Amino acid sequence: MIRIKPKHLITGLAALPFAAVLFAWSGIFDVSASSGHWKITEWFLHFAMRSSVRTHALAVKAPDELPRHALKPAAGHFARGCAICHGAPGEPRSPAALRILPPPPDLAGIVDEWTDPQLFQIVKHGVKYTGMPAWPTQERDDEVWAMVAFLRELPGLDAERYRELAYGDAEPALGRAYGFEEALAECSRCHGRDGQAGGESVPVLAGQSETYLLASLSAYLEGSRPSGIMEIPARAVEPEFLPELARHFAAQPRIVPARTEDDSALHRRGETIARNGISQTRVPACLECHGRTERNPLYPNIAGQHENYIAGQLELFRDGMRGGTRYNHLMRNAAKNLTDGDIEALAAYFSRLQAPPENETP
Ligand code: HEC
Ligand code: HEC
Ligand code: HEC
């Protein structure tokens, strides 16, 4: 009878790495994707992926409610950044995508297997060795949560509703935009041709300072204003069209809905902070910069901007996650001591304020 002594076992284990290198060196192992995975490899990779996602998602804290108000920009991003591999309602996966190993799954049938924090973990960090990419920027989480909200809707979306969310009434070209009209169609998917569409989470561009719009586009391109959602369209158009796009949107009239609850306590509190600031917490008066008729053209017009958008941006500034143009430090400073209540009040006030007169220097 052969007896395995501990000595043999240790020698055997020590030799394993050399055997593995020898096996890899021999070239017998087939790396070609055409040969597929062995069943056991496929099982093991998926098992490892699920276990890793499950463990890492334990540290993810989900918001109380998923940001369903941001479904539209998330759908718009899905159309460009995800559908190419996963397909979408009315847009089946391409034959090329199906040849990726492992093939990207049709998400509508699979999202229910994951919890919200697990979907967040996958979408933010991607999956190694599979082609599933990480979110374009790791610096903010709100956009990833918007995508999780969209993924939750996906199983119930028909092709028509999906098109409406992802493309609006635009007919964008699928590849790169080489003409001004194509470029405008790309932006219109989310912002509308009049710069006023897109719902609560997409900023109104109509009537915005042209200088600020252009500088913000550069900030997205350079990464000094992190946004996975805006980075892709900013890169999809030829840079020569950006000044023309900024001019187009700046020239559109901004329509501010009439005020209905003028004297609500929230609105009044917002107005007081905007005019006087808060001396105890050293919050400056917002209108010092955002209300002047002769303000620097890099100070944006926030009167009549969407309430949710204003609140979202103020939170990002406060938490140090909103980059921007070369003046963005002024705003980080102004927002750093705002409470959630201050933000709510300011968003209520500014979103119903009729636009202050423009001061655009050419
Ligand atoms: C280049 C192709 C590619 C792109 C682009 C891509 N994915 Fe994936 N995705 C994959 C592959 C491949 C897998 C399978 C990973 C696995 O099974 O280990 C995957 C897996 C997933 C999963 C987990 C599903 C499951 O149970 O396996 C989710 C959720 C997901 N992707 C969402 C997204 C979202 C949202 C986007 C866009 C922001 C996106 N993906 C972009 C290739 C892609
Ligand atoms: C997929 C949806 C989507 C598309 C397409 C899109 N945008 Fe945006 N855009 C957004 C969202 C969402 C934001 C807010 C991002 C943030 O938090 O910084 C934004 C922000 C902006 C801003 C900053 C506005 C401000 O008030 O600070 C500008 C300028 C802008 N977009 C211009 C464009 C242009 C020009 C195009 C076309 C090339 C375009 N966008 C295409 C969704 C989109
Ligand atoms: C010292 C001048 C200054 C003060 C004071 C100031 N801001 Fe700003 N604000 C700016 C500048 C500059 C930007 C543009 C930042 C960038 O993108 O580079 C900005 C941007 C913003 C934005 C984002 C707009 C958009 O379209 O994305 C909001 C919202 C905002 N400010 C609200 C406020 C509020 C509310 C206050 C008062 C608590 C305030 N600001 C005080 C200068 C100021």
Side-chain angles (χ1 to χ4, degrees), residues 334-348:
K336 67 180 181 213
N337 291 332
L338 292 175
T339 63
D340 289 348
D342 298 338
I343 289 181
E344 202 190 336
L346 285 162

Side-chain angles (χ1 to χ4, degrees), residues 165-334:
L165 281 172
Y167 304 113
D169 47 19
E171 285 292 336
L174 267 183
R176 209 171 154 70
Y178 289 108
F180 176 73
E181 277 303 319
E182 283 173 22
L184 184 56
E186 172 59 17
C187 316
S188 305
R189 293 196 299 130
C190 290
H191 293 283
R193 271 187 91 87
D194 59 358
Q196 187 92 37
E200 280 283 319
S201 295
V202 177
V204 175
L205 304 182
Q208 186 55 280
S209 143
E210 182 183 327
T211 313
Y212 171 76
L213 289 179
L214 188 56
S216 300
L217 287 166
S218 307
Y220 288 125
L221 281 173
E222 290 157 7
S224 54
R225 180 169 172 184
S227 166
I229 292 183
M230 251 320 285
E231 194 186 310
I232 292 187
R235 286 195 194 292
V237 303
E238 288 293 317
E240 63 182 281
F241 297 128
L242 296 178
E244 219 176 318
L245 288 168
R247 204 170 316 130
H248 164 86
F249 286 117
Q252 306 299 310
R254 179 174 293 197
I255 301 149
V256 182
R259 275 158 61 167
T260 47
E261 33 183 340
D262 291 4
D263 50 2
S264 75
L266 193 64
H267 191 274
R268 276 204 306 275
R269 176 159 169 225
E271 178 163 15
T272 312
I273 306 175
R275 288 190 188 285
N276 311 322
I278 311 173
S279 52
Q280 302 93 305
T281 50
R282 279 186 276 153
V283 173
C286 319
L287 290 170
E288 277 299 315
C289 294
H290 291 288
R292 288 167 189 257
T293 38
E294 275 149 44
R295 63 179 193 278
N296 183 323
L298 278 171
Y299 294 1
N301 172 7
I302 55 171
Q305 189 57 273
H306 296 302
E307 198 163 347
N308 265 326
Y309 176 75
I310 295 178
Q313 297 291 307
L314 288 176
E315 280 166 23
L316 290 173
F317 276 123
R318 179 185 62 188
D319 301 341
M321 291 190 253
R322 163 66 151 81
T325 71
R326 65 195 143 96
Y327 288 118
N328 88 80
H329 61 282
L330 295 177
M331 201 40 227
R332 280 191 185 208
N333 206 34

Side-chain angles (χ1 to χ4, degrees), residues 41-51 102 105 110 113-114:
T41 321
E42 200 175 283
W43 171 85
F44 179 75
L45 288 177
H46 204 65
F47 167 74
M49 179 262 205
R50 296 193 83 87
S51 310
I110 223 170
E113 293 174 17
W114 301 100

